[in-house]
Amino acid sequence: MKKSLGAKTIVFPTPVFIVGSYDMDGNPNIMNAAWGGICSSNPASVAVAVRPERHTYANIMASRAFTVSIPSIKHVREADYVGIYSGKDGNKFEATGLTPVKGDVVHAPYVAEFPLVLECTLAQTVEIGVHTQFIGTIEDVKADEDVLNENGVPDPAKIQPFTFSPSDAGYYALGEKIAQAFAIGKEL
Amino acid sequence: MKKSLGAKTIVFPTPVFIVGSYDMDGNPNIMNAAWGGICSSNPASVAVAVRPERHTYANIMASRAFTVSIPSIKHVREADYVGIYSGKDGNKFEATGLTPVKGDVVHAPYVAEFPLVLECTLAQTVEIGVHTQFIGTIEDVKADEDVLNENGVPDPAKIQPFTFSPSDAGYYALGEKIAQAFAIGKEL
């Protein structure tokens, strides 16, 4: 028997997306978004939900671009900080000591210290209650050389990303690889 | 220096959502979707991207409802199986031995053996290239009693969910809790 918990936003896992944008004066900002995910394979697209009252919202609506930087566990403090405080109250790059780098492809800043970065142009906005979903076309993915495996693709064990748990507001590390997708299911 | 990898769908983590739906004859089906995530807090909403050629697509378009069941690592074979084979070719519940249960709130089946389940009504569809994003209003979340913590909320350590890595097509367990969100950032 399952117990009903009501209409809640509980799934596992949710990501820790650090969303980068510039304001009209060119000041870089970042926020922490757990409401998001990949939303199409072609064009490669990622969705991020942002409330209209966020500083990031106005930035993305004006610049039509954003980045998503994926932090390693060693930067969990910085990632959490940018989810607590608003860019309206100060420069979060300066407060955290993180380094903004202008995207190569889009007008948005990413976090130099984080190992994986997506540069996105805004393709669509979707109103869903209190959140606006920004759908970004992924124009480029870039990664630190030292997180690539022998095939040149990002290795989760080297990136050491972490996830957000909505039920207990915990950050959880990624654990061990348990199986290969599109393979282990054929054993049945 | 970061290395450009091109326009790819690489983020960490992506979820393993097992999406349940009925066809016009009432036959239950499930598929594995990694392209999705929470997309609004109010109304509590979840997005799942599905290609129009999927059996699930026609089911959801007709029934205007779906479920999301979150599997534990002990069911990684079954979860992968339903991502490899199509419901057009046979009943995937029968093939995997999983048990369909009709939702209490919506006309869609969930997986009895999986510890956490969302029942959703279809609120919006969004066309994003080769995928259609189904935006579901979460009408109810239900969980097995034995995965709840002392506060009555789902405990990730008991659910033992796993995640999909797009870069190496690996399934990864959830690891240890590393920090409390909205708290550790205040140390900065």
Side-chain angles (χ1 to χ4, degrees):
Chain A
M1 274 297 295
K2 287 182 168 38
K3 183 176 179 183
S4 171
L5 304 176
K8 296 194 170 152
T9 49
I10 300 179
V11 296
F12 303 99
T14 73
V16 178
F17 286 166
I18 305 302
V19 181
S21 59
Y22 285 120
D23 71 14
M24 297 289 274
D25 297 321
N27 299 306
N29 187 48
I30 38 178
M31 70 168 282
N32 179 327
W35 292 174
I38 297 291
C39 57
S40 183
S41 297
N42 187 12
S45 304
V46 64
V48 178
V50 177
R51 289 174 183 256
E53 58 267 35
R54 300 282 184 224
H55 196 51
T56 295
Y57 178 90
N59 290 359
I60 295 178
M61 289 299 271
S63 65
R64 311 286 299 177
F66 62 93
T67 62
V68 175
S69 297
I70 306 292
S72 296
I73 56 177
K74 68 182 172 186
H75 284 116
V76 64
R77 276 176 188 75
E78 290 80 359
D80 193 45
Y81 180 95
V82 305
I84 296 173
Y85 301 101
S86 172
K88 294 173 182 172
D89 301 324
N91 184 315
K92 290 195 270 190
F93 279 101
E94 290 176 4
T96 55
L98 296 172
T99 310
V101 179
K102 187 179 179 306
D104 295 321
V105 185
V106 307
H107 181 68
Y110 64 82
V111 181
E113 289 82 359
F114 293 179
L116 190 78
V117 172
L118 283 65
E119 296 192 33
C120 306
T121 50
L122 181 62
Q124 294 186 56
T125 62
V126 183
E127 304 300 322
I128 312 168
V130 300
H131 278 87
T132 296
Q133 183 182 235
F134 290 124
I135 294 175
T137 301
I138 302 169
E139 305 290 352
D140 192 35
V141 175
K142 36 179 56 80
D144 290 339
E145 298 262 7
D146 62 4
V147 301
L148 303 179
N149 69 14
E150 65 278 12
N151 300 318
V153 301
D155 182 343
K158 293 178 178 174
I159 291 179
Q160 297 196 286
F162 55 99
T163 84
F164 173 71
S165 160
S167 64
D168 65 345
Y171 292 124
Y172 287 77
L174 206 64
E176 62 177 348
K177 185 169 183 173
I178 58 167
Q180 191 65 33
F182 313 112
I184 193 172
K186 294 180 181 174
E187 292 178 6
L188 277 181
Chain B
M1 274 296 296
K2 287 183 167 39
K3 182 176 178 184
S4 172
L5 305 176
K8 296 194 170 153
T9 50
I10 300 179
V11 296
F12 303 98
T14 72
V16 178
F17 285 167
I18 305 301
V19 181
S21 59
Y22 285 121
D23 71 14
M24 297 288 276
D25 298 321
N27 298 307
N29 187 48
I30 38 177
M31 71 168 280
N32 179 327
W35 292 174
I38 297 292
C39 58
S40 184
S41 297
N42 188 11
S45 305
V46 64
V48 178
V50 177
R51 290 175 183 255
E53 58 268 35
R54 299 285 185 222
H55 196 50
T56 294
Y57 178 89
N59 289 359
I60 295 177
M61 290 299 271
S63 65
R64 311 288 295 179
F66 62 93
T67 63
V68 175
S69 298
I70 306 291
S72 296
I73 56 177
K74 67 182 172 187
H75 284 116
V76 64
R77 277 178 187 75
E78 289 80 0
D80 193 47
Y81 181 94
V82 306
I84 296 173
Y85 300 101
S86 172
K88 294 175 183 171
D89 300 323
N91 185 314
K92 290 194 270 189
F93 279 100
E94 291 176 3
T96 55
L98 296 172
T99 309
V101 178
K102 187 178 180 307
D104 294 321
V105 186
V106 307
H107 182 67
Y110 65 80
V111 181
E113 289 82 359
F114 294 179
L116 189 80
V117 171
L118 283 65
E119 296 192 34
C120 306
T121 49
L122 181 63
Q124 294 188 56
T125 61
V126 183
E127 304 298 322
I128 313 168
V130 300
H131 278 86
T132 296
Q133 186 187 46
F134 291 123
I135 296 175
T137 302
I138 301 169
E139 305 290 353
D140 191 37
V141 175
K142 38 179 56 79
D144 291 338
E145 298 262 7
D146 63 3
V147 301
L148 302 178
N149 69 13
E150 65 279 12
N151 300 318
V153 301
D155 182 344
K158 294 177 178 174
I159 291 179
Q160 298 196 286
F162 55 98
T163 85
F164 174 70
S165 159
S167 65
D168 65 345
Y171 292 122
Y172 287 77
L174 206 65
E176 62 179 347
K177 186 168 182 172
I178 58 168
Q180 192 66 32
F182 313 112
I184 193 171
K186 294 180 181 174
E187 293 178 5
L188 277 182

